[in-house]
mmCIF file of all heavy atoms in Angstrom:
data_model
loop_
_atom_site.group_PDB
_atom_site.id
_atom_site.type_symbol
_atom_site.label_atom_id
_atom_site.label_comp_id
_atom_site.label_asym_id
_atom_site.label_seq_id
_atom_site.Cartn_x
_atom_site.Cartn_y
_atom_site.Cartn_z
ATOM 1 N N ASN A 641 -15.491 71.857 10.678
ATOM 2 C CA ASN A 641 -16.133 73.084 11.148
ATOM 3 C C ASN A 641 -15.975 73.161 12.659
ATOM 4 O O ASN A 641 -16.527 72.348 13.396
ATOM 5 C CB ASN A 641 -17.622 73.092 10.784
ATOM 6 C CG ASN A 641 -17.824 72.920 9.291
ATOM 7 O OD1 ASN A 641 -17.209 73.632 8.513
ATOM 8 N ND2 ASN A 641 -18.657 71.972 8.894
ATOM 9 N N THR A 642 -15.179 74.103 13.151
ATOM 10 C CA THR A 642 -14.936 74.226 14.583
ATOM 11 C C THR A 642 -15.601 75.484 15.109
ATOM 12 O O THR A 642 -15.814 76.458 14.393
ATOM 13 C CB THR A 642 -13.431 74.301 14.883
ATOM 14 O OG1 THR A 642 -12.915 75.490 14.296
ATOM 15 C CG2 THR A 642 -12.711 73.089 14.314
ATOM 16 N N SER A 643 -15.922 75.451 16.393
ATOM 17 C CA SER A 643 -16.453 76.650 17.045
ATOM 18 C C SER A 643 -15.977 76.645 18.486
ATOM 19 O O SER A 643 -15.752 75.589 19.081
ATOM 20 C CB SER A 643 -17.991 76.658 16.999
ATOM 21 O OG SER A 643 -18.517 75.538 17.679
ATOM 22 N N GLN A 644 -15.797 77.817 19.036
ATOM 23 C CA GLN A 644 -15.335 77.950 20.411
ATOM 24 C C GLN A 644 -16.221 78.982 21.086
ATOM 25 O O GLN A 644 -16.209 80.150 20.742
ATOM 26 C CB GLN A 644 -13.865 78.379 20.431
ATOM 27 C CG GLN A 644 -13.288 78.515 21.820
ATOM 28 C CD GLN A 644 -11.821 78.856 21.762
ATOM 29 O OE1 GLN A 644 -11.129 78.492 20.830
ATOM 30 N NE2 GLN A 644 -11.350 79.577 22.763
ATOM 31 N N ALA A 645 -16.981 78.527 22.087
ATOM 32 C CA ALA A 645 -17.972 79.398 22.715
ATOM 33 C C ALA A 645 -17.318 80.431 23.629
ATOM 34 O O ALA A 645 -17.798 81.539 23.776
ATOM 35 C CB ALA A 645 -18.971 78.569 23.507
ATOM 36 N N SER A 646 -16.224 80.065 24.278
ATOM 37 C CA SER A 646 -15.584 80.992 25.212
ATOM 38 C C SER A 646 -14.119 80.656 25.300
ATOM 39 O O SER A 646 -13.661 79.652 24.766
ATOM 40 C CB SER A 646 -16.237 80.896 26.598
ATOM 41 O OG SER A 646 -16.091 79.569 27.114
ATOM 42 N N VAL A 654 -14.780 73.069 27.728
ATOM 43 C CA VAL A 654 -14.583 73.415 26.325
ATOM 44 C C VAL A 654 -13.137 73.253 25.895
ATOM 45 O O VAL A 654 -12.784 73.579 24.773
ATOM 46 C CB VAL A 654 -15.057 74.857 26.020
ATOM 47 C CG1 VAL A 654 -16.545 74.974 26.198
ATOM 48 C CG2 VAL A 654 -14.292 75.872 26.856
ATOM 49 N N ASN A 657 -13.088 70.107 22.160
ATOM 50 C CA ASN A 657 -14.142 70.612 21.303
ATOM 51 C C ASN A 657 -14.516 69.561 20.269
ATOM 52 O O ASN A 657 -13.649 69.001 19.604
ATOM 53 C CB ASN A 657 -13.656 71.888 20.596
ATOM 54 C CG ASN A 657 -14.777 72.613 19.886
ATOM 55 O OD1 ASN A 657 -15.907 72.609 20.349
ATOM 56 N ND2 ASN A 657 -14.452 73.235 18.774
ATOM 57 N N VAL A 658 -15.784 69.257 20.118
ATOM 58 C CA VAL A 658 -16.250 68.324 19.104
ATOM 59 C C VAL A 658 -16.336 69.048 17.772
ATOM 60 O O VAL A 658 -16.928 70.118 17.677
ATOM 61 C CB VAL A 658 -17.623 67.727 19.474
ATOM 62 C CG1 VAL A 658 -18.136 66.843 18.346
ATOM 63 C CG2 VAL A 658 -17.510 66.939 20.763
ATOM 64 N N VAL A 659 -15.732 68.469 16.776
ATOM 65 C CA VAL A 659 -15.759 69.041 15.436
ATOM 66 C C VAL A 659 -16.663 68.162 14.586
ATOM 67 O O VAL A 659 -16.426 66.976 14.426
ATOM 68 C CB VAL A 659 -14.344 69.091 14.822
ATOM 69 C CG1 VAL A 659 -14.390 69.745 13.458
ATOM 70 C CG2 VAL A 659 -13.407 69.852 15.748
ATOM 71 N N TYR A 884 -6.886 76.219 19.073
ATOM 72 C CA TYR A 884 -7.303 74.946 18.493
ATOM 73 C C TYR A 884 -6.415 74.611 17.315
ATOM 74 O O TYR A 884 -6.351 75.377 16.344
ATOM 75 C CB TYR A 884 -8.767 74.972 18.086
ATOM 76 C CG TYR A 884 -9.693 74.724 19.262
ATOM 77 C CD1 TYR A 884 -10.445 75.731 19.801
ATOM 78 C CD2 TYR A 884 -9.742 73.445 19.820
ATOM 79 C CE1 TYR A 884 -11.268 75.506 20.897
ATOM 80 C CE2 TYR A 884 -10.558 73.201 20.917
ATOM 81 C CZ TYR A 884 -11.323 74.241 21.458
ATOM 82 O OH TYR A 884 -12.111 73.998 22.522
#
Side-chain angles (χ1 to χ4, degrees):
N641 303 309
T642 64
S643 61
Q644 181 177 331
S646 61
V654 294
N657 191 34
V658 175
V659 183
Y884 279 108

